Amino acid sequence: MNNIKKPRRLMLGLLYVALVALLLSCGGGGDGASGGSVAGVGSSAAGTATAGAGADAAAGASTGTGTGATGDASGTGSGTGGDTSTASNGSTDGSGVGSGGTGVTADAAGIGAADGLGSIILNGLRYNTDSAAITIEDATELQIGISARVAGKVDADFTSGVATQVVSAAELRGAVSAIDIPAGSFVVMGTTVSIDSATVWAGASGLADVVSGSIVQVWGLPGAPGTLRATRIQVAPTLSAPLVTGTVENIDSGRKTFMLGQLTIDFGAAAFTGLDASSLANGTIVRVRGTAAPFANLFVATKVEGWYAVPVSNGIAVQLAGVITDFASRGSFKVLGTPVDATNAQITGGPVGSLGNGVKVEVDGFMSGGVLVVKKLRIRNIPGTGGPASFTLIGAIGAYQSSADFRVRGQPVDASGSSTVFENGTAANLANGQRVTVVGDRVVNGVLIAQRVTFTP
């Protein structure tokens, strides 16, 4: 009996060892990164990540796929929060992180003006748009200075992001009146438009070229009721149907009217998108479209659109650019109608004491209880003092004619100035297909005047 049992025990032992080895070779012992997925496929919830090294998740459940054995990952995923993405967008380098940067995990929304292209740079933060759905109204393509809302993910330090959605539309279109060159302002359909050093001009070199009665299209950031800080102005646009954006005041539910600046809006026959007629309230920022210019300050609306929505869920990362209103203290003011607390913010661009109504700022932070708790605040313009402007293009040169006439990302560039600095090359290296980063501080007649051109591999 013992002679029979010993071979049987030996055989069972060998089979057990072989089975363990087979399981380990198939990844049953973990993927080496998460310890919780098989063959690099895993799931994450409540902000934890598995799936090799390639899936990041925050503020919701998401799933990711990866190879596990090699550590490569696609980084694709889905979330529960609507505005979702992962660090990768198909351009992985083995880390599961695409060109948006390492650790791009927080669900985010950014609202402001595009101060660069490649993919899109909003409020100084570059978002990769390789996998983004892009919707543009009132223009044919993304352009420097247009207002936009970007949804996706950013890293915790607001240094890089990956966009899942980019939405842009103009704020104002109509005839100019009450031009005040010393004050840097004019009026369109009852809204006072102000300009600053960062305002991009297309079809003109500045306010001095604007003629009363001419039609302009304006992208901008709503400030106090009846005001708009222009980020881009198109003189003589192709489109001419009237359009106005602002903060709702004096709603009259019986007459179906409200005020935008000096304009009375009749919304009785208007379609509503992005908000319901029942949710319309004083203080709401809306974009109103019509077919006929106002008469006697009465504008008949054909469509009332909710302006770019600011998310309010706790933990959402939010970037805003705008003009301060309702300033009470560093810990209590509003930007684009959103309550802001910058008590503990890192503040750059000017003295802390300069914060107040009318100051243009960029704020980065996280929502908490309906308040944007700011991590970084950049002062961009102080009334009477001014502020810096900077625009960036990243991409390949196209339509090259000369150093004074070429394009990057479709944006005309002039790099012929005597003060233009070239890095990693000279003006002689400018040519179609050459990849460059172009930085300038002004756009005149639609052309970016380059201060620095850096040649990149």
Side-chain angles (χ1 to χ4, degrees):
M1 292 293 292
N2 289 338
N3 291 336
I4 295 174
K5 289 181 178 179
K6 286 180 179 178
R8 182 180 297 174
R9 285 197 295 268
L10 179 61
M11 183 178 295
L12 289 173
L14 291 172
L15 285 173
Y16 178 78
V17 171
L19 179 59
V20 170
L22 178 61
L23 287 172
L24 290 173
S25 69
C26 293
D31 61 3
S34 66
S37 62
V38 178
V41 180
S43 63
S44 58
T48 61
T50 61
D56 292 311
S62 66
T63 62
T65 60
T67 63
T70 64
D72 294 333
S74 69
T76 57
S78 63
T80 60
D83 292 337
T84 59
S85 177
T86 59
S88 175
N89 46 47
S91 302
T92 55
D93 59 5
S95 67
V97 177
S99 58
T102 303
V104 181
T105 59
D107 290 315
I111 300 173
D115 41 26
L117 303 176
S119 298
I120 185 172
I121 302 172
L122 191 83
N123 308 338
L125 192 153
R126 184 184 181 191
Y127 289 86
N128 185 293
T129 57
D130 288 353
S131 299
I134 300 176
T135 303
I136 303 173
E137 291 188 79
D138 310 306
T140 57
E141 60 186 350
L142 291 173
Q143 299 169 320
I144 291 178
I146 66 170
S147 61
R149 181 185 190 272
V150 178
K153 290 187 180 288
V154 300
D155 65 5
D157 290 325
F158 294 91
T159 58
S160 60
V162 176
T164 56
Q165 183 185 61
V166 179
V167 178
S168 176
E171 272 65 51
L172 188 62
R173 188 167 52 236
V176 173
S177 63
I179 299 171
D180 188 338
I181 293 178
S185 68
F186 57 91
V187 175
V188 175
M189 293 178 16
T191 295
T192 299
V193 180
S194 61
I195 64 173
D196 59 33
S197 57
T199 301
V200 174
W201 290 90
S205 60
L207 186 55
D209 292 342
V210 178
V211 178
S212 183
S214 61
I215 303 297
V216 297
Q217 179 167 280
V218 182
W219 290 262
L221 305 171
T227 68
L228 185 73
R229 180 64 59 88
T231 56
R232 183 181 178 94
I233 299 172
Q234 172 71 58
V235 177
T238 302
L239 301 174
S240 59
L243 161 67
V244 62
T245 299
T247 302
V248 172
E249 294 182 291
N250 302 325
I251 292 179
D252 187 328
S253 300
R255 295 185 178 182
K256 303 291 185 183
T257 63
F258 59 82
M259 299 289 293
L260 287 184
Q262 303 170 30
L263 211 57
T264 298
I265 308 296
D266 178 350
F267 64 91
F272 279 75
T273 61
L275 81 166
D276 299 323
S278 59
S279 64
L280 190 66
N282 289 326
T284 305
I285 300 177
V286 296
R287 182 183 283 113
V288 179
R289 298 180 184 271
T291 57
F295 179 75
N297 283 337
L298 177 66
F299 184 38
V300 178
T302 56
K303 183 184 289 187
V304 177
E305 303 170 347
W307 200 64
Y308 305 125
V310 178
V312 296
S313 300
N314 288 344
I316 295 290
V318 174
Q319 265 198 305
L320 298 179
V323 177
I324 291 176
T325 62
D326 302 280
F327 184 85
S329 68
R330 178 176 169 179
S332 178
F333 58 91
K334 290 184 178 181
V335 175
L336 301 180
T338 300
V340 173
D341 179 355
T343 301
N344 298 313
Q346 173 190 343
I347 298 177
T348 58
V352 174
S354 65
L355 293 176
N357 290 328
V359 175
K360 182 180 175 183
V361 295
E362 295 171 352
V363 290
D364 306 333
F366 296 88
M367 296 302 297
S368 177
V371 176
L372 178 57
V373 179
V374 176
K375 184 173 184 177
K376 296 180 180 179
L377 183 151
R378 296 172 296 282
I379 297 171
R380 288 306 188 199
N381 188 274
I382 301 170
T385 302
S390 181
F391 307 104
T392 303
L393 300 173
I394 302 172
I397 292 174
Y400 179 81
Q401 297 296 324
S402 69
S403 62
D405 185 5
F406 61 92
R407 291 175 180 254
V408 177
R409 298 277 180 173
Q411 170 65 45
V413 177
D414 181 352
S416 64
S418 59
S419 61
T420 302
V421 175
F422 291 88
E423 298 177 346
N424 302 330
T426 68
N429 297 114
L430 295 171
N432 287 328
Q434 180 70 257
R435 292 191 62 82
V436 294
T437 297
V438 180
V439 177
D441 64 350
R442 57 199 173 101
V443 178
V444 180
N445 286 317
V447 178
L448 176 63
I449 309 302
Q451 293 174 299
R452 184 173 71 252
V453 178
T454 302
F455 294 91
T456 58

